[in-house]
Amino acid sequence: MAPRVFRFAPSPNGYLHLGHALSALLNGDMARAANGRLLLRIEDIDRTRCRPEYETAIYEDLAWLGLAWEAPVRRQSEHFAAYRDALERLTAMGLVYPSFESRGEIARLVAAREQTAAWPRDPDGVPLYPGTAKQISHDERRRRMAAEPYALRLDMAKALARAGDLHWSETGRGPSCETGQVPARAEQWGDVVLGRKDTPTSYHLAVVIDDALQGVTDVVRGEDLFWATGVHRLLQQLLDLPVPTYRHHRLIRDAEGRKLAKSTKATGLRELRAQGVTPAEIRKLVGLKLKPLRQRE
Ligand code: GLU
């Protein structure tokens, strides 16, 4: 049987903290226990927020934790052609349309709608797309695409009609203890952005393309991405991609109970290392047992 393939996929937009350590170590432990492979993927599509020094720090911090991953590391910024190709396939299926409102305009549209009734929000609390770009005529679309910035959105209603009911297999737990065969419920996200005029992908699209291209069989990541899996499952179905098994793990929270957003003195791996904390103590801090043995060396 082919070995199972795990991956840790950080974004180099800050230094790693205890939340990343839990995710990376859990992937490492599971790969080891399954005699599987561990990949590292650098999710750097947002060129404005990602920096080379953060990427270098990721390699250093993970090696310090005792992790070993396969080379070469996949960097998303080097694979825009693969994402563009997938976006073109979805466009050819009639499932993608451009919207032209700025973030400010979208916020104003939502505020106007909320004068009468609450406007729906996605699982991250972001209002669903309120605009009417789907109704713009073909000619006007072409004219405006040449002249204005735009976002490329998935026509969720059409995509769901085409894909039918979908589930994914969850071996961890969702925020309300969902496990087993979980209904995808991609409609919670509305017409999600899949790319922009100057970036031919979004997180959702890049992650499903990469997991498929890299042969990932097991996605192990934080519970904050639990419901995003519904969009991923939908894109896999539309693009005819294999479906990994998912395991979402608990998040590490700060003293106020919030999920860790950036590394601080109390939670940053570099800071903890400088204070003399050992990798074994990091395992303990994130609630993992001592390093398990390999099944077969
Ligand atoms: N790059 C994402 C993050 O740093 C993780 C993506 C994933 O594991 O699917 O939050």
Side-chain angles (χ1 to χ4, degrees):
M1 220 172 70
R4 281 161 68 185
V5 182
F6 295 77
R7 80 338 183 242
F8 176 56
S11 296
N13 54 15
Y15 291 112
L16 299 187
H17 53 58
L18 287 173
H20 297 109
L22 171 59
S23 219
L25 290 168
L26 203 50
N27 271 287
D29 286 1
M30 289 180 71
R32 182 178 273 265
N35 265 316
R37 298 166 54 200
L38 177 64
L39 309 180
L40 173 62
R41 184 165 75 223
I42 300 294
E43 301 215 322
D44 59 349
I45 47 179
D46 184 350
R47 305 305 288 154
T48 55
R49 295 175 59 219
C50 295
R51 293 213 230 124
E53 58 268 35
Y54 292 138
E55 186 179 328
T56 309
I58 287 173
Y59 302 136
E60 275 174 24
D61 292 348
L62 294 180
W64 174 72
L65 282 177
L67 284 158
W69 55 90
E70 288 181 18
V73 167
R74 185 175 172 94
R75 261 207 212 100
Q76 290 190 323
S77 58
E78 292 168 356
H79 297 279
F80 280 165
Y83 312 134
R84 192 173 288 120
D85 197 58
L87 198 47
E88 276 166 14
R89 280 174 60 200
L90 294 169
T91 306
M93 291 182 220
L95 300 178
V96 175
Y97 69 91
S99 69
F100 300 93
E101 297 91 347
S102 65
R103 288 197 171 88
E105 279 167 309
I106 289 185
R108 279 192 291 280
L109 282 172
V110 170
R113 304 227 176 177
E114 294 213 303
Q115 303 261 304
T116 42
W119 184 250
R121 278 155 206 265
D122 71 22
D124 289 343
V126 177
L128 302 197
Y129 173 63
T132 51
K134 235 186 328 196
Q135 276 117 57
I136 296 175
S137 73
H138 185 71
D139 285 351
E140 189 185 344
R141 245 180 218 176
R142 289 191 49 178
R143 186 179 52 71
R144 291 183 67 179
M145 283 175 89
E148 295 173 39
Y150 56 83
L152 291 167
R153 293 181 181 274
L154 182 68
D155 185 329
M156 187 56 81
K158 264 196 197 169
L160 290 171
R162 187 172 176 130
D165 276 350
L166 299 172
H167 291 76
W168 81 83
S169 176
E170 173 69 41
T171 62
R173 253 162 233 294
S176 308
C177 285
E178 300 86 349
T179 191
Q181 290 301 306
V182 178
R185 298 181 57 200
E187 67 280 0
Q188 302 180 90
W189 297 90
D191 290 357
V192 284
V193 173
L194 296 183
R196 295 187 186 275
K197 186 172 191 169
D198 41 13
T199 320
T201 187
S202 65
Y203 158 67
H204 296 307
L205 187 63
V207 85
V208 298
I209 299 297
D210 285 347
D211 285 339
L213 285 176
Q214 296 190 286
V216 171
T217 59
D218 290 80
V219 172
V220 178
R221 62 185 177 191
E223 188 189 278
D224 50 338
L225 291 169
F226 187 81
W227 288 116
T229 311
V231 177
H232 303 170
R233 184 65 196 87
L234 175 60
L235 292 173
Q236 286 155 356
Q237 188 74 10
L238 297 170
L239 292 165
D240 208 13
L241 302 174
V243 185
T245 298
Y246 289 85
R247 173 166 171 184
H248 292 88
H249 60 73
R250 69 194 152 77
L251 301 177
I252 306 281
R253 301 191 178 270
D254 65 14
E256 279 79 49
R258 287 180 305 240
K259 88 169 201 201
L260 302 182
K262 55 180 188 295
S263 89
T264 62
K265 243 172 114 182
T267 63
L269 297 186
R270 327 217 98 202
E271 288 89 341
L272 291 167
R273 184 169 75 190
Q275 290 160 31
V277 176
T278 66
E281 286 164 339
I282 299 279
R283 287 188 69 92
K284 249 196 174 150
L285 277 173
V286 299
L288 289 175
K289 298 209 178 69
L290 278 177
K291 200 165 189 164
L293 292 173
R294 241 186 194 290
Q295 270 179 0
R296 261 195 339 257
E297 247 355 298

